[in-house]
Amino acid sequence: MNELPLADLDAFAAVARERSFRTAARKRGVSASALSEALRRLETKLGVRLLNRTTRSVTLTEAGTRLFERLSPALGEIAGALDQVGSLRDSPAGTLRLNVPTVVAREILPPLVGRFLNANPAIVLEVTAEDGLIDVLAAGFDAGVRYEERVERDMIAIPIGPRVQRYITAAAPNYLVKRGIPQHPRDLLEHATIRHRFLNGIALAWEFGEGEEALTIAPPAAVVANTIDLEIGAAVDGLGVIRTFEEFLMPEIKAGRLVPILDAWVTSFPGPFLYYASRRHMPAPLRAFVDFLKSEQRRAER
């Protein structure tokens, strides 16, 4: 049998992983027809069908399943070896793909990005901000940023950003004049509020306190949205009470457009973590970012 082109094997693995020519092509930046031609060449050389293709689905044949199971670790080792060699360059190169919560994209990453990319000019950073729970590695990201309770146990996690964050409650001065100042979280059941709803349709209840003092309520909403800018704007306009990350509200509080309330019921929690899969050969851009975050942490501890 003639030597099989590595590119065709890689194309097969990409389609097998996604179960879709179109999705695999989009992620690789090539056309679906190019992947289809690579699969045709590979199947012709092997003399066996690897994929069953219909207009609606792509499934692996028995031969395709066996090849994919043996091929995936080998391709991973090759990619890791190439990244390791690339790391010996004066500056690591490649694309670093991160999936992060909205608050991290807005408040935590901006001061880090400039320093990281100035030190690593050959790296391209791609950031997707979303608050839903997804398998970031299966979705093609190199790493994710999440809070402790949402980090998978089999992942490596390192701190990124502040080690303590807070949820606070606030309202516009004109709203408080009109409706009164809540003295206890239960008072919010008689107030209008600004609620956040995630893209999966879930609007989380508001949690206050800890232990025996813990209290969870779902106050009536005047506005429900999935964008923090609209939510803050609604609160500033006096439409209701808002409760969210302190970082989001501090500019409006400092400007006098919002007033913090229920100070005794501020909720503190650990800051976010960068998490990634444990593997022998880490991609050079991810390794550079991890090293950068560790140096930032050491600098902050001095």
Side-chain angles (χ1 to χ4, degrees):
M1 183 183 297
N2 294 333
E3 185 177 344
L4 296 174
L6 182 60
D8 289 351
L9 290 168
D10 191 38
F12 159 71
V15 176
R17 188 178 303 111
E18 302 297 337
R19 299 296 197 271
S20 166
F21 280 86
R22 184 173 299 176
T23 302
R26 184 177 68 251
K27 289 188 175 182
R28 294 166 63 86
V30 299
S31 67
S33 61
L35 291 183
S36 181
E37 178 61 23
L39 262 294
R40 186 194 64 76
R41 288 195 302 267
L42 188 59
E43 288 178 332
T44 298
K45 288 204 172 194
L46 291 174
V48 64
R49 180 178 289 277
L50 300 173
L51 299 174
N52 292 317
R53 286 156 276 193
T54 71
T55 56
R56 293 189 176 183
S57 66
V58 174
T59 58
L60 291 167
T61 64
E62 182 180 355
T65 299
R66 291 185 180 183
L67 177 60
F68 183 58
E69 289 175 350
R70 297 292 298 273
L71 188 61
S72 293
L75 290 175
E77 288 295 315
I78 291 171
L82 292 174
D83 282 330
Q84 193 172 50
V85 172
S87 68
L88 299 177
R89 298 165 41 141
D90 291 338
S91 177
T95 300
L96 174 61
R97 298 176 178 86
L98 301 179
N99 184 285
V100 308
T102 303
V103 64
V104 172
R106 285 180 54 129
E107 306 294 337
I108 296 175
L109 276 185
L112 298 175
V113 166
R115 293 198 296 274
F116 172 67
L117 293 182
N118 283 330
N120 299 275
I123 291 179
V124 175
L125 179 64
E126 293 184 5
V127 177
T128 297
E130 59 181 332
D131 295 317
L133 292 179
I134 68 167
D135 185 336
V136 298
L137 302 183
F141 296 95
D142 297 302
V145 176
R146 289 296 184 269
Y147 287 85
E148 192 171 25
E149 72 276 9
R150 297 184 177 184
V151 175
E152 298 293 336
R153 294 185 181 275
D154 59 345
M155 295 290 174
I156 296 175
I158 64 171
I160 180 172
R163 297 325 311 136
V164 176
Q165 290 183 271
R166 308 198 314 164
Y167 252 57
I168 65 173
T169 313
N174 62 341
Y175 174 88
L176 296 175
V177 169
K178 179 173 60 177
R179 300 290 299 270
I181 300 176
Q183 301 299 315
H184 190 280
R186 291 192 188 91
D187 295 342
L188 295 175
L189 295 174
E190 305 300 324
H191 282 258
T193 62
I194 314 298
R195 302 282 300 279
H196 183 81
R197 174 176 288 155
F198 294 102
L199 291 178
N200 61 8
I202 295 176
L204 296 180
W206 286 4
E207 298 180 356
F208 298 85
E210 296 179 356
E212 295 181 359
E213 294 294 323
L215 178 68
T216 300
I217 62 172
V223 175
V224 180
N226 63 10
T227 168
I228 190 63
D229 293 314
L230 190 152
E231 295 162 34
I232 294 172
V236 169
D237 287 341
L239 299 181
V241 176
I242 188 170
R243 180 171 171 81
T244 187
F245 287 95
E246 183 177 36
E247 291 91 339
F248 286 156
L249 300 183
M250 282 310 298
E252 304 300 331
I253 290 173
K254 289 180 179 179
R257 290 186 287 267
L258 289 177
V259 176
I261 59 175
L262 298 174
D263 290 343
W265 295 88
V266 168
T267 302
S268 299
F269 50 90
F273 292 81
L274 177 85
Y275 72 98
Y276 53 94
S278 173
R279 48 187 166 182
R280 186 183 307 170
H281 299 300
M282 189 186 300
L286 178 57
R287 165 55 63 193
F289 191 56
V290 168
D291 290 343
F292 168 78
L293 291 180
K294 289 180 178 178
S295 68
E296 288 285 304
Q297 185 178 7
R298 288 192 297 270
R299 185 166 66 89
E301 292 172 351
R302 289 173 189 161

